[in-house]
Amino acid sequence: MCAVRTQVGIVGAGPAGLMLALMLERAGVESVVIECRSREHVEQRVRAGLLEQNTVELMHELGVGERMAREGLVHEGIYLRRPGATERVDITGLTGRRITIYGQQELLKDLIAARLERGGEIRFGVTGTRLHDYDGERPRISFEQDGQSAELQCDVIAGCDGFHGVCRASVPAGALTEHEYVYPFAWLGILAQAAPTTDELIYGWHDRGFALYSMRSPTISRLYLQVPSDERIEDWSDERIWAELQARLASDGWRVGEGPVIDRGVTPMRSFVCEPLRHGRLFLLGDAAHIVPPTGAKGLNLAVNDARLLSAALGAWYSSGEEAGLAGYSTAALRRVWQVQDFSNYMTNLLHDLGGGPFQRRLQLARLEHLSRSRAAATSLAENYAGLPAAPDF
Ligand code: PHB
């Protein structure tokens, strides 16, 4: 067996794990990242694509923002569309903040390249990951790589391995409280080789259900449709997908730009939070700890915020023995998690057919109308969408 000693053992090479590794390195703290998927898989998987200004600023601080600055699309507003009316929410005018469209897999490529260039370790394709002794002061992570047993001996374990990962699952039953809400619908998402015919994202309310027009680049569109949770992707031909998008996003004399579909999938919609985000020397970050429905585009940004808070706490602990940051990590991270849960739930409930019938649908239209007439209502949406400013305890 090959045993390696490091300070922080990081399970999962997604946004939380890799941002944490880079921030720890900046603070002079050593870490090793292990990941069960291959590097190719991590770098190709189509996921989120909207970065808050907080995330963009952190990327620049870490010296990994150069390609994002070149290729990312900076947006200053979003459109809220309902049949017969499109209202723009002027995010930047209302908050002074911007958002950036940059695919998660592009961000991951940049983080992985920087981590390896700087001499940091990422072990891809590990299997059989198990956590040990995180109740005490010498936690260990065992796994296999290339048929060999290996072990990471560390001071702290950072669980960044997603909702279905082993980290949260290895905490003894009863030690964590889990809050969950599963929405009775899903998103069918496509990536298409088609130039977007909109300059900013369009969130569409429609009798037939919600639709979202997003993008990845000047030639790639990303679009979503609300569908029943048990929807089978095989039942959706390209023709049916485009017809439904055209119907739900319709506006006079305008069409969604169509083109070859290059990726497709159905994503369930769930809200989930586990509390606290710590068990002994195991800390949970990102999707391992919480899931938000995608309507507010917050999942990636929340994961990055967890990493920011934990790296600051670990930096203080290693440099001066200060425990307060580590003791307060869960409370600080959860403060934002619950704010963002509420916002994501608000956006979801504002725009989807929730199954409550015509009265509920008319209330949604009244809310949309209110957003277009009330600067206060629009500002509240805008500041949440742009991302509330980062703070040491938030
Ligand atoms: C996306 O581009 O994937 C995206 C954008 C905004 C959302 C959700 C997803 O609210």
Side-chain angles (χ1 to χ4, degrees), residues 5-309:
R5 165 98 192 108
T6 189
Q7 291 178 305
V8 181
I10 301 178
V11 185
L18 291 168
M19 287 296 270
L20 180 66
L22 290 177
M23 283 187 272
L24 287 176
E25 182 206 284
R26 187 178 57 165
V29 178
E30 236 181 60
S31 65
V32 172
V33 181
I34 62 170
E35 164 63 50
C36 64
R37 314 266 190 181
S38 69
R39 179 174 178 179
E40 295 67 39
H41 181 93
V42 171
E43 292 188 341
Q44 298 308 327
R45 189 163 45 157
V46 179
R47 304 293 288 274
L50 197 142
L51 310 183
E52 292 178 354
Q53 189 166 314
N54 290 334
T55 302
V56 168
E57 284 169 4
L58 258 183
M59 291 281 284
H60 285 303
E61 274 174 35
L62 291 168
V64 291
E66 195 203 319
R67 192 165 69 96
M68 175 189 66
R70 248 184 302 124
E71 297 178 14
L73 307 174
V74 176
H75 286 191
E76 301 196 336
I78 55 169
Y79 297 106
L80 299 178
R81 177 168 294 174
R82 57 197 194 273
T86 301
E87 309 289 350
R88 180 169 184 270
V89 180
D90 181 2
I91 306 266
T92 304
L94 292 166
T95 68
R97 296 165 81 77
R98 291 178 173 72
I99 48 180
T100 300
I101 304 285
Y102 191 61
Q104 174 166 321
Q105 73 273 38
E106 302 308 318
L107 176 134
L108 290 176
K109 282 177 201 164
D110 298 343
L111 298 182
I112 291 167
R115 168 79 176 164
L116 298 177
E117 234 164 63
R118 295 171 190 183
E121 234 186 298
I122 311 174
R123 300 191 176 203
F124 289 100
V126 309
T127 55
T129 301
R130 287 180 57 194
L131 314 190
H132 313 271
D133 302 338
Y134 51 82
D135 276 336
E137 301 203 340
R138 283 276 167 265
R140 294 174 296 119
I141 308 172
S142 62
F143 55 94
E144 275 105 55
Q145 193 176 26
D146 305 324
Q148 293 256 331
S149 300
E151 186 176 275
L152 270 180
Q153 301 171 347
C154 33
D155 302 323
V156 163
I157 299 174
C160 308
D161 56 346
F163 185 68
H164 299 288
V166 301
C167 289
R168 191 184 70 254
S170 44
V171 176
L176 301 177
T177 303
E178 301 192 344
H179 304 275
E180 184 168 38
Y181 180 76
V182 179
Y183 295 84
F185 45 82
W187 276 13
L188 186 160
I190 62 163
L191 196 65
Q193 237 152 26
T197 54
T198 178
D199 57 338
E200 293 176 330
L201 272 53
I202 305 174
Y203 288 80
W205 182 102
H206 199 277
D207 275 338
R208 302 174 67 91
F210 171 70
L212 171 60
Y213 197 162
S214 181
M215 62 195 74
R216 286 291 176 273
S217 75
T219 55
I220 304 283
S221 298
R222 178 88 171 135
L223 295 123
Y224 299 97
L225 288 167
Q226 177 189 355
V227 295
S229 332
D230 54 358
E231 198 73 347
R232 288 157 21 110
I233 190 80
E234 305 81 56
D235 294 340
W236 286 81
S237 65
D238 290 10
E239 295 68 34
R240 183 175 173 207
I241 292 173
W242 290 116
E244 198 60 32
L245 287 166
Q246 299 292 2
R248 295 190 196 180
L249 291 168
S251 174
D252 274 354
W254 174 92
R255 280 179 69 76
V256 175
E258 299 186 11
V261 176
I262 49 182
D263 193 90
R264 70 187 75 216
V266 174
T267 316
M269 304 269 284
R270 160 188 285 129
S271 293
F272 175 86
V273 183
C274 86
E275 297 183 314
L277 303 183
R278 173 184 191 173
H279 187 77
R281 292 277 184 99
L282 167 65
F283 293 83
L284 299 173
L285 296 84
D287 285 2
H290 41 75
I291 298 283
V292 286
T295 325
K298 290 290 175 223
L300 183 159
N301 297 292
L302 260 191
V304 169
N305 195 63
D306 290 348
R308 176 181 63 84
L309 291 170

